[in-house]
Amino acid sequence: MSDSHHTIEALFDEARTFPPPPELASRAIVQSDEIYAEAEADLEGYWARQAERVVWRERWSQVLDWSKAPFAKWFVGAKLNVTESCLDRHLANHADRVAYYWEGEPGDRKILTYGELHTEVCRLANALASLGVEKGDRVAIYMGMVPEMPIALLACARLGAPHSVVFGGFSAESLADRINDASAKVLITCDGAWRGGAVVPLKDMADDALTRTPSIEHVVVVRRTGSDVSMTSGRDVWYDQIVPDQPAQRPATECDSEDLLYLLYTSGTTAKPKGIVHSCGGYLVGAAASHSMVFDLHEEEDIYWCTADIGWVTGHSYVVYGPLANGATSVIYEGGPSFPDKDRFWDIVERYGVTLFYTAPTSIRTFMKWGESHLEKHDLSSLRLLGTVGEPINPEAWMWYRKNVGGDRCPIVDTWWQTETGGLMISPLPGVTTTKPGSATVPLPGISADVVDEEGRSVPLGQGGYLVITKPWPSMLRGIYGDDDRFVETYWRRFSKPEENRWVYFAGDGAKRDHDGYYWLLGRVDDVMNVSGHRISTLEVESALVDHPAVAEAAVVGRDDPVTGQAIAAFVTLRGDRVGDEMLIAELRDHVAGKIGKIARPASIVFTDELPKTRSGKIMRRLLRDISEQRKLGDVTTLANEAVVQEIAERAKSMHRADG
Ligand code: PRX
């Protein structure tokens, strides 16, 4: 966190400001900043009003029950099925409105109206029910971005069966761990997925995982790439054999507001990913309200495109649940941004007339690197609002995005949030908030945040500290699946004062507020890296490395990277007299990819005879970060062996030279 301080500091006071564009402000969904005060004055009243966006079968007796804090209940006693908000309610007046324009990487296209989406969801729900899926059963989803993916999430929700989506870039082992942690009963997957012109062999990887997932009874396989895959009879069924003949109706299963809607695993500070628990009512209220207000959605006019994979929380909240609850028309694109050429995204924006565009800083920096010529080929004048999410956006990238994608006319909403928060937390409201490049601006109405010091005291404006959330919010995580203690320990122990009944959520991020009270996110303060907007635990990568027979010990840090935000730098000591060479580096990188997924493959590996440790044996990651970023080395006086550091620094330097 201290690393980013200098640049941020310098930018604070000289930051340019961009008031809301008048033409957007004059017809924005939120036009007055009074909404902040209204929410502040009556938090529960505010959220009860937002809850009117959702279709309820039975209303709540109490908006918030915080009596068992930090275990929250929102809209207590209310009954709903989230798919009635996302699908059924749209049938009466706009069944023909497009829900999704889907485009495959090879160029094939498909349109799903709300009416068609409803039918497809009911059919798959019927098929899953025929395979024995009942309310409460967990269903794992491991797919590429095909139309059947949002259908799969919604079909589970229709049955009240919580889904657990595992991003298609994760390895067989990661998939198996997540399936086992949740004891999932059914897996929905694809034969393969298109990515960058090649096939990701999802079913082969699933088969590998399925050798150690005793809870799985059936596997539903979507035919996408036509790859040759093995089907285990009695267990595996093709989607196109079991779904199309199902009845086109399926009554939605009634759920309690607090019933589990889904699990989504995310990396923390230990090697074991946590199953973040989201419930039905509060989650949908949070996702729908934030989607409408922050993206200024005019559902009858806008074409909205969030480029995130549904495998991540951004896809859950802002490709599936939020947009559908709001009746939005969205674009879903299956593949990579450079296939067949580096203008694929802009081609899509132009062809569909995308008005609202939401992507990650790492993509923006990649587009910067590729150059403006790819954008200039296309008419991007349909765009009227841009968003970013996933990591801090550097002001240069923000300005580039505004100028080259937004034609200097579109406001940018930099949205800070997390898997755990379920929905956006700190973000501009485009019709009222003046933005500054690099700042996520201020907490949304109904969200109470603060920046605190080590002791949990609010720090004055202009200073940095830990970002915390001081009041509960509807889409907050309800726990870590099967591990209440870890939930309390991870998020609530550090800054709460239970004896005063004061519960403070610790996000794991550093932040600084400027003199206007604007929040500047400074990155993680724990052992979590952020690589291309993906959260990866240093410990998880370390344990994948030491799992290799040649490795004795490993230390992993995230070093600054101009495109991916952070890159994974590993330091490894080898067993016995094993000698580290290029081949072993390649082998270790593959090993990590096999254990976790390609996104976790270290960018660099340095072999060393020893790791720098304190006298008490703790690995000094700070020093390794200094080495990786080729900074002057920090304080080494607490080191057990100072010479080690110099030696590693030399090796890392020669590696950087070799990298060019
Ligand atoms: O460090 C913050 C960073 O991403 C983390 C959350 O990661 P994940 O749960 O995977 O969710 C990503 C998408 C919501 C946060 O703890 N982060 C996310 N958005 C921003 C951000 N950092 C700075 N600015 C953002 N807008």
Side-chain angles (χ1 to χ4, degrees):
M1 160 179 152
S2 59
D3 310 346
S4 335
H5 261 96
H6 310 290
T7 38
I8 298 275
E9 192 82 74
L11 283 160
F12 262 6
D13 297 320
E14 64 195 52
R16 292 180 61 184
T17 55
F18 295 92
E23 54 296 0
L24 184 144
S26 64
R27 58 187 302 264
I29 298 288
V30 183
Q31 297 182 2
S32 159
D33 62 4
E34 282 161 21
I35 190 169
Y36 293 98
E38 280 167 28
E40 179 86 31
D42 176 12
L43 191 69
E44 292 184 26
Y46 170 79
W47 285 118
R49 284 192 295 283
Q50 293 303 332
E52 299 300 339
R53 298 171 181 276
V54 164
V55 177
W56 302 94
R57 286 194 184 180
E58 256 177 61
R59 302 184 67 85
W60 50 90
S61 56
Q62 197 182 349
V63 175
L64 167 67
D65 178 359
W66 195 225
S67 63
K68 304 225 164 42
F71 297 90
K73 284 195 176 137
W74 281 88
F75 310 109
V76 182
K79 307 286 179 221
L80 78 164
N81 182 291
V82 297
T83 66
E84 292 184 334
S85 291
C86 294
L87 301 171
D88 302 63
R89 76 152 117 184
H90 302 305
L91 298 184
N93 298 322
H94 42 266
D96 292 337
R97 183 184 297 161
V98 174
Y100 291 124
Y101 287 108
W102 176 84
E103 180 156 318
E105 192 182 73
D108 46 339
R109 294 172 202 169
K110 193 166 183 173
I111 295 177
L112 280 170
T113 63
Y114 274 92
E116 290 162 343
L117 186 61
H118 178 266
T119 301
E120 293 307 316
V121 168
C122 287
R123 288 212 167 104
L124 178 57
N126 283 321
L128 292 174
S130 76
L131 295 175
V133 175
E134 291 175 6
K135 185 177 176 193
D137 289 340
R138 275 82 55 215
V139 175
I141 296 176
Y142 183 61
M143 300 174 82
M145 286 278 278
V146 287
E148 291 83 354
M149 191 177 191
I151 291 169
L153 273 71
L154 293 161
C156 293
R158 190 89 178 161
L159 298 171
H163 52 75
S164 169
V165 180
V166 181
F167 172 59
F170 278 119
S171 66
E173 185 156 334
S174 295
L175 174 62
D177 288 348
R178 286 156 173 79
I179 287 174
N180 289 336
D181 189 74
S183 302
K185 191 171 186 180
V186 165
L187 169 68
I188 309 175
T189 187
C190 301
D191 53 356
W194 288 112
R195 187 79 202 180
V199 171
V200 183
L202 290 177
K203 177 62 164 68
D204 291 352
M205 300 214 277
D207 283 338
D208 181 353
L210 288 159
T211 59
R212 53 210 138 148
T213 52
S215 61
I216 293 286
E217 293 171 12
H218 290 288
V219 182
V220 179
V221 187
V222 174
R223 221 185 289 268
R224 169 60 186 145
T225 54
S227 319
D228 196 14
V229 297
S230 79
M231 297 288 280
T232 301
S233 93
R235 185 194 70 186
D236 300 356
V237 284
W238 287 105
Y239 187 103
D240 57 18
Q241 283 178 351
I242 146 165
V243 175
D245 294 336
Q246 295 288 340
Q249 297 292 335
R250 169 90 199 176
T253 302
E254 184 166 289
C255 298
D256 187 87
S257 176
E258 281 302 320
D259 279 347
L260 182 54
L261 175 61
Y262 69 78
L263 297 175
L264 187 56
Y265 285 80
T266 187
S267 292
T269 50
T270 70
K272 189 174 159 357
K274 314 178 278 235
I276 301 302
V277 171
H278 282 295
S279 63
C280 297
Y283 172 78
L284 195 66
V285 170
S290 56
H291 181 257
S292 160
M293 292 193 280
V294 170
F295 296 104
D296 189 40
L297 180 79
H298 293 258
E299 64 276 8
E300 290 176 9
E301 301 158 29
D302 280 313
I303 306 290
Y304 162 82
W305 183 20
C306 165
T307 68
D309 193 293
I310 296 174
W312 306 105
V313 75
T314 307
H316 282 58
S317 299
Y318 300 107
V319 177
V320 182
Y321 291 110
L324 294 177
N326 292 332
T329 296
S330 302
V331 172
I332 295 182
Y333 168 57
E334 176 185 37
S338 60
F339 189 88
D341 215 333
K342 296 193 171 79
D343 66 340
R344 183 66 183 264
F345 273 26
W346 318 122
D347 182 41
I348 292 175
V349 168
E350 179 174 11
R351 266 189 296 109
Y352 294 97
V354 172
T355 58
L356 315 171
F357 179 70
Y358 190 30
T359 196
T362 186
S363 308
I364 298 166
R365 290 191 297 264
T366 304
F367 300 138
M368 277 173 84
K369 198 173 73 178
W370 288 346
E372 289 86 47
S373 64
H374 303 289
L375 294 112
E376 285 158 4
K377 283 190 224 146
H378 297 281
D379 177 3
L380 306 181
S381 61
S382 58
L383 290 169
R384 67 178 193 90
L385 178 142
L386 307 175
T388 91
V389 60
E391 51 178 318
I393 180 163
N394 46 315
E396 299 74 24
W398 196 102
M399 289 301 292
W400 184 93
Y401 193 31
R402 181 181 156 88
K403 176 164 183 280
N404 295 287
V405 181
D408 275 330
R409 74 183 176 275
C410 304
I412 296 180
V413 290
D414 173 2
T415 60
W416 177 87
W417 60 297
Q418 310 178 295
T419 306
E420 291 87 340
T421 68
L424 314 180
M425 301 293 279
I426 302 181
S427 162
L429 288 175
V432 302
T433 314
T434 291
T435 56
K436 301 183 190 184
S439 168
T441 73
V442 293
L444 286 170
I447 303 298
S448 307
D450 201 355
V451 178
V452 300
D453 65 14
E454 253 350 298
E455 273 74 50
R457 287 178 302 233
S458 186
V459 303
L461 294 187
Q463 289 188 21
Y466 302 102
L467 177 64
V468 295
I469 311 294
T470 53
K471 287 188 187 142
W473 65 102
S475 64
M476 66 197 287
L477 77 165
R478 298 300 193 265
I480 293 176
Y481 192 67
D483 202 341
D484 287 352
D485 291 345
R486 191 173 173 202
F487 168 65
V488 177
E489 208 47 57
T490 307
Y491 302 107
W492 303 94
R493 185 72 75 208
R494 186 144 172 197
F495 296 114
S496 299
K497 298 220 163 38
E499 61 287 357
E500 296 167 22
N501 206 19
R502 210 168 81 87
W503 292 94
V504 173
Y505 171 85
F506 174 43
D509 281 39
K512 183 158 186 163
R513 261 176 317 200
D514 67 16
H515 293 286
D516 296 326
Y518 275 41
Y519 285 70
W520 298 73
L521 278 303
L522 302 177
R524 303 284 307 190
V525 293
D526 52 14
D527 292 328
V528 173
M529 298 173 287
N530 190 326
V531 181
S532 299
H534 303 321
R535 254 162 89 168
I536 299 167
S537 143
T538 52
L539 272 104
E540 211 178 333
V541 180
E542 285 168 5
S543 59
L545 283 166
V546 296
D547 176 76
H548 188 281
V551 175
E553 212 176 10
V556 164
V557 297
R559 66 167 145 84
D560 284 347
D561 182 277
V563 174
T564 57
Q566 285 190 314
I568 303 176
F571 298 84
V572 166
T573 65
L574 296 174
R575 281 180 192 275
D577 45 15
R578 250 328 261 268
V579 183
D581 55 15
E582 285 300 320
M583 254 173 59
L584 187 57
I585 289 182
E587 198 178 311
L588 291 178
R589 295 179 74 225
D590 284 349
H591 187 75
V592 175
K595 295 289 287 185
I596 305 173
K598 282 190 183 149
I599 51 168
R601 199 153 47 178
S604 61
I605 296 179
V606 172
F607 295 113
T608 164
D609 297 333
E610 242 180 278
L611 292 172
K613 288 188 188 158
T614 60
R615 295 196 182 91
S616 61
K618 213 170 164 284
I619 294 174
M620 297 193 70
R621 289 209 176 74
R622 181 174 52 79
L623 281 178
L624 292 173
R625 234 179 340 253
D626 286 346
I627 292 170
S628 307
E629 291 170 4
Q630 303 192 304
R631 258 192 307 274
K632 207 168 142 288
L633 295 183
D635 184 13
V636 292
T637 51
T638 51
L639 267 182
N641 180 358
E642 291 178 34
V644 169
V645 174
Q646 298 305 338
E647 187 202 312
I648 301 176
E650 283 311 312
R651 290 203 193 176
K653 235 185 251 158
S654 62
M655 272 215 22
H656 279 290
R657 275 197 297 273
D659 282 355

